[in-house]
Amino acid sequence: SPAARSTMAAEVAAAAAATLRRWNGVVRPRKVPLPEKPKLTLYEFEASPYCRRVRETINILGLEVLVKPCPRETLRTEGAYSSKSRHKPEVRAAGGKLLFPFLVDHSANVALNESSYIVEHLWKHYGIGVEQPSSDRVLNGGLPALLDIPLLTAPSALRPWPHAGLMMAPSVRPELPLIMHGCEPDPGCRLVRELLCILQIPYHFKPRDLDSPLPHLEDPNTDFKTFGARSAQEYLRDKYQLGPPLPLTAPVPEPNLGDSGRTSPISWFLPR
């Protein structure tokens, strides 16, 4: 319908604006192949600027990774979650903090919080044969904090909505992880990742060149395959989504199975 097309166009435009760092995160050629493909699991949520920093590095290095989305249940307290959270208990069991991103490198037997440590680890262990783009050197460690933080957080600030990879939505849990071929700077890929995130759907991410037909989503549970953001979103909503995401004003879940001592700065602006 015209209304649906207009809404989709607005979403794509907003997603494109949210990829202000579009010049960073494109797959780079690898001159020397890795001895073996690493086994990586990334716990993250799409709206986090620090998670984006790690995703950019994963894309540049062309690393495949199992993504386990960890959307927020509340903005009032850092690390809070309920029994509805599927992946956060795994983070605690692995010794991680309930702050994201959190990477488990099964090949190197390492688990890391903090985006800067994760990025450093990935380049050190899997950067062989890949020339780091000058834009990446500047954006991920080469700027003073007064410039780094605005450039990192501005894209997420342009999509501050619950459905934009931020707040959890009720969903059906798939038996097998889905597969997504994508590229971090592509606006359509962002829209699909946002939906996968709020639905807590795990997926194998396979980086592709920006000029490839993207996004490409596969569901091994149903043999569904599609190209394009709209068809992927429609499928995910029809097959897995059970309701709307939690509002930005959602209270701390009861019982809270996570942390309770770290008040989020965002909570200062939320109604009591």
Short mmCIF file of all heavy atoms in Angstrom, two decimals, residues 42-71:
data_model
loop_
_atom_site.label_atom_id
_atom_site.label_comp_id
_atom_site.label_asym_id
_atom_site.label_seq_id
_atom_site.Cartn_x
_atom_site.Cartn_y
_atom_site.Cartn_z
N LEU A 42 29.18 -13.41 19.49
CA LEU A 42 29.08 -12.02 19.91
C LEU A 42 27.72 -11.77 20.55
O LEU A 42 26.68 -12.01 19.93
CB LEU A 42 29.26 -11.08 18.72
CG LEU A 42 29.14 -9.58 19.00
CD1 LEU A 42 30.25 -9.11 19.93
CD2 LEU A 42 29.14 -8.78 17.70
N TYR A 43 27.74 -11.30 21.79
CA TYR A 43 26.53 -10.88 22.49
C TYR A 43 26.47 -9.36 22.40
O TYR A 43 27.42 -8.67 22.83
CB TYR A 43 26.58 -11.33 23.95
CG TYR A 43 26.64 -12.83 24.13
CD1 TYR A 43 27.86 -13.51 24.06
CD2 TYR A 43 25.49 -13.58 24.37
CE1 TYR A 43 27.93 -14.90 24.22
CE2 TYR A 43 25.55 -14.96 24.54
CZ TYR A 43 26.76 -15.61 24.46
OH TYR A 43 26.83 -16.97 24.61
N GLU A 44 25.40 -8.83 21.86
CA GLU A 44 25.34 -7.40 21.61
C GLU A 44 23.91 -6.96 21.38
O GLU A 44 22.99 -7.79 21.33
CB GLU A 44 26.20 -7.04 20.40
CG GLU A 44 25.81 -7.76 19.11
CD GLU A 44 25.10 -6.86 18.13
OE1 GLU A 44 25.57 -5.75 17.87
OE2 GLU A 44 24.04 -7.29 17.62
N PHE A 45 23.70 -5.65 21.26
CA PHE A 45 22.40 -5.16 20.78
C PHE A 45 22.65 -4.02 19.80
O PHE A 45 23.57 -3.22 19.94
CB PHE A 45 21.46 -4.77 21.93
CG PHE A 45 21.90 -3.61 22.78
CD1 PHE A 45 21.36 -2.34 22.58
CD2 PHE A 45 22.80 -3.80 23.82
CE1 PHE A 45 21.74 -1.28 23.39
CE2 PHE A 45 23.18 -2.74 24.64
CZ PHE A 45 22.65 -1.48 24.42
N GLU A 46 21.80 -3.99 18.79
CA GLU A 46 22.03 -3.15 17.62
C GLU A 46 22.16 -1.67 17.94
O GLU A 46 22.96 -0.95 17.33
CB GLU A 46 20.89 -3.36 16.62
CG GLU A 46 20.97 -2.52 15.35
CD GLU A 46 22.15 -2.88 14.46
OE1 GLU A 46 22.59 -4.04 14.53
OE2 GLU A 46 22.61 -2.01 13.70
N ALA A 47 21.41 -1.18 18.91
CA ALA A 47 21.41 0.26 19.19
C ALA A 47 22.66 0.74 19.91
O ALA A 47 22.88 1.95 19.99
CB ALA A 47 20.16 0.62 20.01
N SER A 48 23.46 -0.16 20.43
CA SER A 48 24.65 0.24 21.17
C SER A 48 25.76 0.72 20.24
O SER A 48 26.19 0.00 19.34
CB SER A 48 25.18 -0.93 22.00
OG SER A 48 26.49 -0.68 22.47
N PRO A 49 26.27 1.94 20.44
CA PRO A 49 27.37 2.42 19.60
C PRO A 49 28.65 1.60 19.81
O PRO A 49 29.45 1.45 18.88
CB PRO A 49 27.55 3.86 20.03
CG PRO A 49 26.96 3.94 21.40
CD PRO A 49 25.83 2.94 21.41
N TYR A 50 28.84 1.07 21.00
CA TYR A 50 30.05 0.29 21.27
C TYR A 50 29.98 -1.08 20.59
O TYR A 50 31.00 -1.60 20.15
CB TYR A 50 30.24 0.14 22.78
CG TYR A 50 30.37 1.48 23.46
CD1 TYR A 50 29.28 2.05 24.11
CD2 TYR A 50 31.55 2.21 23.39
CE1 TYR A 50 29.39 3.30 24.70
CE2 TYR A 50 31.68 3.45 23.98
CZ TYR A 50 30.59 4.00 24.63
OH TYR A 50 30.70 5.24 25.20
N CYS A 51 28.77 -1.61 20.47
CA CYS A 51 28.62 -2.85 19.71
C CYS A 51 28.88 -2.60 18.22
O CYS A 51 29.45 -3.45 17.54
CB CYS A 51 27.21 -3.41 19.91
SG CYS A 51 26.88 -3.97 21.60
N ARG A 52 28.49 -1.41 17.74
CA ARG A 52 28.75 -1.10 16.34
C ARG A 52 30.25 -1.09 16.06
O ARG A 52 30.71 -1.54 15.01
CB ARG A 52 28.16 0.26 15.97
CG ARG A 52 28.39 0.62 14.49
CD ARG A 52 28.03 2.04 14.14
NE ARG A 52 26.72 2.37 14.62
CZ ARG A 52 26.47 3.18 15.65
NH1 ARG A 52 27.49 3.75 16.29
NH2 ARG A 52 25.26 3.43 16.04
N ARG A 53 31.01 -0.57 16.99
CA ARG A 53 32.47 -0.52 16.83
C ARG A 53 33.02 -1.93 16.58
O ARG A 53 33.88 -2.13 15.72
CB ARG A 53 33.10 0.11 18.05
CG ARG A 53 34.60 0.06 18.07
CD ARG A 53 35.15 0.92 19.20
NE ARG A 53 35.21 2.32 18.80
CZ ARG A 53 35.35 3.34 19.64
NH1 ARG A 53 35.41 3.12 20.93
NH2 ARG A 53 35.41 4.58 19.19
N VAL A 54 32.53 -2.91 17.31
CA VAL A 54 32.99 -4.29 17.14
C VAL A 54 32.48 -4.86 15.82
O VAL A 54 33.21 -5.55 15.11
CB VAL A 54 32.53 -5.16 18.33
CG1 VAL A 54 32.83 -6.64 18.08
CG2 VAL A 54 33.21 -4.70 19.60
N ARG A 55 31.23 -4.58 15.48
CA ARG A 55 30.68 -5.08 14.20
C ARG A 55 31.45 -4.52 13.02
O ARG A 55 31.67 -5.22 12.02
CB ARG A 55 29.20 -4.74 14.08
CG ARG A 55 28.30 -5.45 15.09
CD ARG A 55 26.83 -5.36 14.66
NE ARG A 55 26.42 -4.00 14.38
CZ ARG A 55 25.85 -3.19 15.26
NH1 ARG A 55 25.65 -3.59 16.51
NH2 ARG A 55 25.49 -1.97 14.91
N GLU A 56 31.87 -3.27 13.10
CA GLU A 56 32.68 -2.70 12.01
C GLU A 56 33.96 -3.50 11.82
O GLU A 56 34.35 -3.81 10.68
CB GLU A 56 33.01 -1.23 12.33
CG GLU A 56 31.85 -0.28 12.19
CD GLU A 56 32.19 1.15 12.60
OE1 GLU A 56 33.27 1.37 13.17
OE2 GLU A 56 31.37 2.04 12.35
N THR A 57 34.63 -3.84 12.91
CA THR A 57 35.87 -4.60 12.82
C THR A 57 35.62 -5.99 12.27
O THR A 57 36.38 -6.49 11.43
CB THR A 57 36.53 -4.69 14.21
OG1 THR A 57 36.82 -3.37 14.68
CG2 THR A 57 37.83 -5.50 14.14
N ILE A 58 34.55 -6.63 12.71
CA ILE A 58 34.19 -7.96 12.20
C ILE A 58 33.98 -7.92 10.70
O ILE A 58 34.40 -8.81 9.96
CB ILE A 58 32.95 -8.49 12.94
CG1 ILE A 58 33.33 -8.91 14.37
CG2 ILE A 58 32.30 -9.65 12.19
CD1 ILE A 58 32.15 -9.24 15.25
N ASN A 59 33.31 -6.85 10.22
CA ASN A 59 33.08 -6.71 8.79
C ASN A 59 34.38 -6.49 8.03
O ASN A 59 34.62 -7.11 7.00
CB ASN A 59 32.12 -5.55 8.53
CG ASN A 59 30.67 -5.96 8.59
OD1 ASN A 59 30.03 -6.18 7.57
ND2 ASN A 59 30.16 -6.07 9.80
N ILE A 60 35.21 -5.58 8.52
CA ILE A 60 36.47 -5.27 7.84
C ILE A 60 37.32 -6.53 7.69
O ILE A 60 37.91 -6.78 6.63
CB ILE A 60 37.24 -4.18 8.61
CG1 ILE A 60 36.51 -2.84 8.50
CG2 ILE A 60 38.67 -4.04 8.06
CD1 ILE A 60 37.08 -1.77 9.41
N LEU A 61 37.35 -7.34 8.74
CA LEU A 61 38.17 -8.55 8.73
C LEU A 61 37.47 -9.73 8.04
O LEU A 61 38.09 -10.78 7.86
CB LEU A 61 38.54 -8.94 10.16
CG LEU A 61 39.42 -7.93 10.91
CD1 LEU A 61 39.64 -8.39 12.35
CD2 LEU A 61 40.75 -7.74 10.20
N GLY A 62 36.21 -9.55 7.66
CA GLY A 62 35.49 -10.62 6.98
C GLY A 62 35.28 -11.85 7.83
O GLY A 62 35.29 -12.97 7.32
N LEU A 63 35.05 -11.65 9.12
CA LEU A 63 34.91 -12.77 10.06
C LEU A 63 33.44 -13.16 10.21
O LEU A 63 32.58 -12.30 10.42
CB LEU A 63 35.47 -12.40 11.42
CG LEU A 63 36.96 -12.05 11.47
CD1 LEU A 63 37.33 -11.54 12.87
CD2 LEU A 63 37.82 -13.25 11.10
N GLU A 64 33.18 -14.44 10.11
CA GLU A 64 31.84 -14.93 10.40
C GLU A 64 31.68 -15.09 11.91
O GLU A 64 32.60 -15.51 12.61
CB GLU A 64 31.59 -16.26 9.69
CG GLU A 64 31.63 -16.13 8.17
CD GLU A 64 31.30 -17.43 7.46
OE1 GLU A 64 30.89 -18.40 8.14
OE2 GLU A 64 31.45 -17.47 6.23
N VAL A 65 30.50 -14.75 12.42
CA VAL A 65 30.29 -14.76 13.85
C VAL A 65 28.85 -15.15 14.16
O VAL A 65 27.93 -14.82 13.39
CB VAL A 65 30.63 -13.36 14.45
CG1 VAL A 65 29.75 -12.29 13.84
CG2 VAL A 65 30.49 -13.36 15.96
N LEU A 66 28.64 -15.87 15.25
CA LEU A 66 27.30 -16.16 15.74
C LEU A 66 26.89 -15.01 16.64
O LEU A 66 27.53 -14.76 17.67
CB LEU A 66 27.28 -17.48 16.50
CG LEU A 66 25.96 -17.83 17.22
CD1 LEU A 66 24.82 -17.95 16.22
CD2 LEU A 66 26.11 -19.12 18.02
N VAL A 67 25.84 -14.30 16.25
CA VAL A 67 25.36 -13.17 17.03
C VAL A 67 24.19 -13.62 17.90
O VAL A 67 23.24 -14.24 17.41
CB VAL A 67 24.90 -12.02 16.10
CG1 VAL A 67 24.35 -10.85 16.93
CG2 VAL A 67 26.06 -11.55 15.23
N LYS A 68 24.27 -13.31 19.19
CA LYS A 68 23.18 -13.59 20.12
C LYS A 68 22.70 -12.26 20.70
O LYS A 68 23.31 -11.72 21.62
CB LYS A 68 23.64 -14.55 21.21
CG LYS A 68 23.98 -15.94 20.67
CD LYS A 68 24.12 -16.97 21.77
CE LYS A 68 24.28 -18.38 21.21
NZ LYS A 68 24.34 -19.41 22.28
N PRO A 69 21.62 -11.72 20.15
CA PRO A 69 21.17 -10.38 20.54
C PRO A 69 20.70 -10.32 21.99
O PRO A 69 20.05 -11.24 22.50
CB PRO A 69 20.00 -10.12 19.59
CG PRO A 69 20.21 -11.05 18.44
CD PRO A 69 20.83 -12.27 19.03
N CYS A 70 21.04 -9.21 22.64
CA CYS A 70 20.70 -8.98 24.04
C CYS A 70 20.03 -7.62 24.20
O CYS A 70 20.63 -6.68 24.75
CB CYS A 70 21.94 -9.07 24.92
SG CYS A 70 22.75 -10.68 24.93
N PRO A 71 18.80 -7.45 23.70
CA PRO A 71 18.13 -6.15 23.81
C PRO A 71 17.83 -5.80 25.26
O PRO A 71 17.83 -6.65 26.16
CB PRO A 71 16.84 -6.36 23.01
CG PRO A 71 16.59 -7.84 23.11
CD PRO A 71 17.94 -8.48 23.09
#
